[in-house]
Amino acid sequence: MASQSEQLTAAEISRLAGVTRATVSNWRRRHPDFPQPSGGTEASPSYDRRQVEAWLNARGRLPARSARDDLRTHLRGRTQRDVEAVALFTAHVAGLDENERGRITALDDDALIGLHADAVSSSSDPVKPSHGDVPAALLRSAANVMRQEGFLAVFDVLDEHSEAPIGIRGTHPTPPAIAELIAELATAGGRRVRSVLDPACGGGRLLAAVATRLGPGARVHGQEYRAVTAAQARTRVTGESPKASVDVRTGDSLRDDAFPGLQVDAVVCNPPYGDREWGHDELAFDTRWAYGVPPRSEPELAWVQHSLAHLSDGGQAVLLLPPATASRPSGRRIRAELLRQGALCAVIALPAGLAVPHHIGLHLWILRRPEADRPGRDPVLLMDMADQSATAADPAPDQGKAADQGALQETIRGTWEAFGDSADFADIPGTARAVPAIDLLDELVDLSPARHVRSAPVISPDAALRHVTELAGRLRAHVAALAEASRIGPWTSAGETNRTWRSATVADLARGGALAVHRGVRASSADALPADLAGRPVLRARDLIGGAPAGGDTGELHLADPVTVETGDVLLTQIVGPQGVATRVADEDDAGCLLGNGMFLLRPDPGRLDPWFLAGFVSAPDNVSQATTGSSTYQLVPSRLRIPLLPLDEQTAYGHAFRKIHELRTSARKAAARANETADLVATTLNSGALLPHEAEWR
């Protein structure tokens, strides 16, 4: 049997050959000469690398071996300590000058091992691996990845071999747009910011966004509980701010603060979400709790006070927090004390979907370390950006609900700067309001912006009448379109019994070449997409369910083996909801976008299958129920769906009918949405006094 280092799993074979896992499974079933398992288990077999490479090479499917592949090979079977050693080595090399970095791959084995020893001895992190038995070949393979693809590419491979975190929940990377916004807010207002701390820095994206704004000589501090991720953060910040002093350490910031006594000009943080095992019992008497001991259910308020404890007088902190932090009854005493002492400056509600968890809109809290000569109870800026869709003041038809991120950042930054620059901040109706702290100190101390910012826009009576008239006109147009779409048929009875037909499964049709099946899959690492695909919109399940265009972003939704949607493709959701699976046939608007995670795509041969005929039958409830698996969450297995075997002309007739049904549903959805929008607008303008009922109604 081959040694462990020479074994490949099916997932590793798919990466080696540049294909999907499903393709590897097909090879195993269809090719008798495919190598037999030489290890692993029956459920997860492994294969001899030499045999697999020979088989792939004989068929011209063995791509040129990359530096990443070599690093994966050298890491296979190594301990977690070895993974952390490579991470520390990479971070150290990233901090060398350009000439030294350029010579790294030319060093002999002894020099590489010596360089790793230097990395260990020079690290300020008390949590670091030993350097005694790290093989030079492992360090050399990492150096080759650095030279060919950059330092951060090493961490993409290391993440695949890192142990899963234990006891820490809700840790998510900060999206680039949010990182940039937090960095702007933390450094706004003309303050001199020369030092920054991120106590839960993850891979360092947020910390790097701030560091690039501080200039040469800035002091950048970070802490992360995973050693590999901490090294990644150190590498990222060093690469983007080479003239800054970077110190990123490993450990749990709340339980074991790596920077006791450190005070900085700014703190930024996207702390773990909903982690109730944050150390409540052992930290009950911690001196950081100047505003009250955080309850077990309020870890976010522990992070708030940890951040404030590390600020110098007048320093500013910006944290990304779940909305419940602003309103949970268990945290009202601490929120009240933050207000009384003038520590809370602003709470900004963001739209849902900008960051994980995507189903809720997160809040930005801006805080400052109160200064002795500044009175407390300053006004607090409450800003509600949670819903930036079309309103009465902006009646553009069919405007999407997702706010443009650039405009969103500009609005938030501009409002925050206006609030800080003027003692007489002018409220922005429906968006922002400066609320005296005393007005927030009621029995709830609810800081949710939506509770205090008037949601109804201020609108003049003439403008209200104009907007209502325009919206009612669009509603009538949608109703007319619905009436036209309802003219479906005529139909013909099948007779005394239902028509029957022979059918084949999607799997059978795929084997016969009548269609191809593709699945959107999230990548295990954030490898860069090809240049021609980067920046394209991603079609997500939520877009298909809502009948919306592709709204995903390749910058956030990393895809493995990305599939480009073409006109005529049949799109289906993987999750089967109460209404079945969402289905549609891709049109010109969908063409060119990428297939998102949790989506299936059936690409029919137009000479053998009509797309609308296919879409109509694959979405039939009885068909879907027989092709569904799972107990709590139902998932579609598209290969099990059955399709009638009919001549193409009959398929076209069925397809025409199914297309009319789709148009009917689409028209009904649009008419219902416009009716609700019109009703809400009329009710709002009547309640605000902008419109009056017709005189005939009250006489």
Side-chain angles (χ1 to χ4, degrees):
M1 181 182 296
S3 65
Q4 185 178 12
S5 63
E6 296 173 329
Q7 297 289 297
L8 291 177
T9 65
E12 290 168 332
I13 294 173
S14 69
R15 285 197 294 266
L16 176 63
V19 297
T20 64
R21 286 282 302 277
T23 301
V24 175
S25 297
N26 284 336
W27 288 344
R28 292 170 53 194
R29 290 195 306 268
R30 298 175 59 186
H31 296 281
D33 61 337
F34 189 84
Q36 294 300 307
S38 57
T41 64
E42 183 176 351
S44 181
S46 59
Y47 304 83
D48 184 277
R49 170 182 281 276
R50 290 186 296 271
Q51 295 178 10
V52 170
E53 290 182 345
W55 190 88
L56 293 172
N57 188 52
R59 286 156 181 78
R61 290 185 172 273
L62 184 63
R65 189 167 177 78
S66 69
R68 291 196 193 205
D69 293 329
D70 286 330
L71 180 56
R72 290 186 179 102
T73 299
H74 283 95
L75 284 170
R76 196 173 298 113
R78 307 299 302 183
T79 65
Q80 182 65 22
R81 190 179 70 170
D82 292 328
V83 174
E84 294 174 1
V86 174
L88 183 63
F89 173 74
T90 304
H92 180 71
V93 173
L96 300 176
D97 64 44
E98 186 175 354
N99 290 331
E100 291 177 296
R101 293 199 305 266
R103 294 193 298 267
I104 184 70
T105 55
L107 297 178
D108 60 25
D109 290 355
D110 290 340
L112 282 174
I113 293 175
L115 188 59
H116 178 255
D118 293 342
V120 174
S121 61
S122 64
S123 173
S124 59
D125 194 339
V127 182
K128 50 192 175 185
S130 170
H131 65 272
D133 58 353
V134 179
L138 178 59
L139 300 177
R140 188 174 304 283
S141 65
N144 287 331
V145 176
M146 298 179 213
R147 180 176 59 84
Q148 293 182 15
E149 302 186 54
F151 298 100
L152 295 178
V154 175
F155 292 97
D156 291 340
V157 179
L158 295 181
D159 281 342
E160 300 170 8
H161 296 266
S162 298
E163 294 178 354
I166 299 174
I168 302 291
R169 297 177 52 214
T171 55
H172 304 288
T174 308
I178 298 297
E180 291 297 320
L181 175 59
I182 293 176
E184 290 177 352
L185 296 175
T187 57
R191 298 182 307 113
R192 180 174 173 79
V193 179
R194 302 298 300 152
S195 57
V196 63
L197 166 69
D198 185 345
C201 65
R205 182 178 290 162
L206 177 53
L207 196 57
V210 182
T212 56
R213 288 169 165 77
L214 303 189
R219 294 180 292 113
V220 181
H221 307 272
Q223 186 166 355
E224 167 58 31
Y225 69 99
R226 296 177 64 192
V228 171
T229 313
Q232 181 182 24
R234 186 159 54 250
T235 303
R236 186 190 301 275
V237 179
T238 301
E240 297 188 19
S241 300
K243 296 185 178 180
S245 171
V246 182
D247 186 3
V248 179
R249 302 183 183 181
T250 304
D252 184 330
S253 290
L254 294 184
R255 288 187 174 90
D256 186 17
D257 188 359
F259 301 100
L262 173 69
Q263 291 192 321
V264 295
D265 300 325
V267 174
V268 293
C269 189
N270 176 10
Y273 173 79
D275 176 26
R276 295 196 174 215
E277 301 300 324
W278 56 272
H280 169 267
D281 295 338
E282 58 203 89
L283 298 174
F285 301 102
D286 198 285
T287 57
R288 288 171 292 181
W289 313 146
Y291 303 88
V293 178
R296 184 186 302 277
S297 60
E298 294 288 350
E300 292 81 16
L301 292 178
W303 286 101
V304 164
Q305 296 192 74
H306 175 82
S307 299
L308 285 167
H310 278 292
L311 286 175
S312 57
D313 287 349
Q316 194 163 278
V318 185
L319 285 82
L320 184 66
L321 301 174
T325 309
S327 59
R328 275 191 298 246
S330 55
R332 63 180 181 272
R333 288 189 177 89
I334 294 177
R335 293 195 298 269
E337 198 59 30
L338 290 170
L339 291 169
R340 291 191 185 99
Q341 296 191 36
L344 183 63
C345 300
V347 178
I348 303 170
L350 300 174
L354 292 184
V356 176
H358 291 294
H359 64 285
I360 61 175
L362 299 178
H363 286 181
L364 287 174
W365 282 36
I366 304 178
L367 306 108
R368 71 157 179 264
R369 178 77 174 264
E371 299 175 82
D373 58 347
R374 291 194 61 178
R377 299 186 181 179
D378 291 334
V380 177
L381 174 66
L382 298 180
M383 191 172 184
D384 187 7
M385 303 296 291
D387 185 5
Q388 293 302 298
S389 61
T391 64
D394 182 13
D398 299 321
Q399 178 176 336
K401 288 186 178 294
D404 175 78
Q405 292 187 356
L408 179 75
Q409 289 179 239
E410 183 64 32
T411 300
I412 292 175
R413 182 178 63 250
T415 304
W416 169 244
E417 290 179 347
F419 173 75
D421 291 343
S422 173
D424 300 319
F425 173 76
D427 293 348
I428 305 174
T431 299
R433 185 180 166 210
V435 183
I438 190 66
D439 292 351
L440 299 170
L441 291 170
D442 55 18
E443 67 278 5
L444 298 177
V445 197
D446 190 340
L447 305 178
S448 304
R451 180 179 174 87
H452 302 280
V453 177
R454 182 182 178 185
S455 59
V458 175
I459 185 172
S460 68
D462 288 342
L465 179 60
R466 183 172 65 255
H467 294 157
V468 168
T469 302
E470 292 173 354
L471 200 56
R474 292 199 295 274
L475 172 60
R476 286 191 293 271
H478 281 297
V479 171
L482 175 60
E484 179 62 28
S486 68
R487 295 190 175 94
I488 56 177
W491 313 109
T492 302
S493 171
E496 296 182 359
T497 60
N498 292 350
R499 182 185 181 184
T500 60
W501 39 61
R502 292 188 306 112
S503 64
T505 65
V506 165
D508 293 333
L509 294 173
R511 280 192 291 269
L515 56 77
V517 182
H518 299 279
R519 178 182 177 184
V521 180
R522 185 184 297 276
S524 59
S525 61
D527 292 341
L529 287 173
D532 61 326
L533 298 182
R536 293 196 185 193
V538 178
L539 186 64
R540 305 162 298 178
R542 72 177 75 173
D543 302 325
L544 198 58
I545 293 170
D553 180 4
T554 55
E556 301 298 325
L557 304 174
H558 305 298
L559 303 174
D561 298 326
V563 178
T564 303
V565 177
E566 299 177 1
T567 302
D569 288 342
V570 177
L571 306 164
L572 305 94
T573 54
Q574 179 180 348
I575 301 299
V576 181
Q579 306 301 321
V581 295
T583 312
R584 79 172 179 234
V585 176
D587 57 16
E588 291 80 4
D589 293 334
D590 296 318
C593 68
L594 302 182
L595 189 68
N597 183 39
M599 296 274 292
F600 289 113
L601 180 152
L602 307 182
R603 180 164 294 161
D605 178 351
R608 300 171 64 181
L609 281 174
D610 181 90
W612 283 102
F613 164 81
L614 180 62
F617 277 100
V618 297
S619 60
D622 289 345
N623 203 359
V624 170
S625 66
Q626 296 177 34
T628 299
T629 185
S631 54
S632 56
T633 301
Y634 300 105
Q635 300 195 37
L636 182 68
V637 183
S639 60
R640 300 180 185 174
L641 293 167
R642 302 196 70 88
I643 311 299
L645 298 176
L646 298 178
L648 189 58
D649 57 345
E650 289 191 55
Q651 291 183 34
T652 302
Y654 274 97
H656 178 75
F658 284 130
R659 183 168 190 164
K660 296 291 288 185
I661 294 170
H662 174 79
E663 292 171 352
L664 175 61
R665 289 194 178 113
T666 301
S667 297
R669 183 171 58 245
K670 290 182 177 179
R674 189 64 70 201
N676 286 328
E677 186 180 359
T678 304
D680 290 344
L681 177 58
V682 173
T684 297
T685 51
L686 287 173
N687 284 320
S688 68
L691 290 186
L692 303 175
H694 194 274
E695 293 183 6
E697 299 292 334
W698 62 22
R699 290 184 180 178

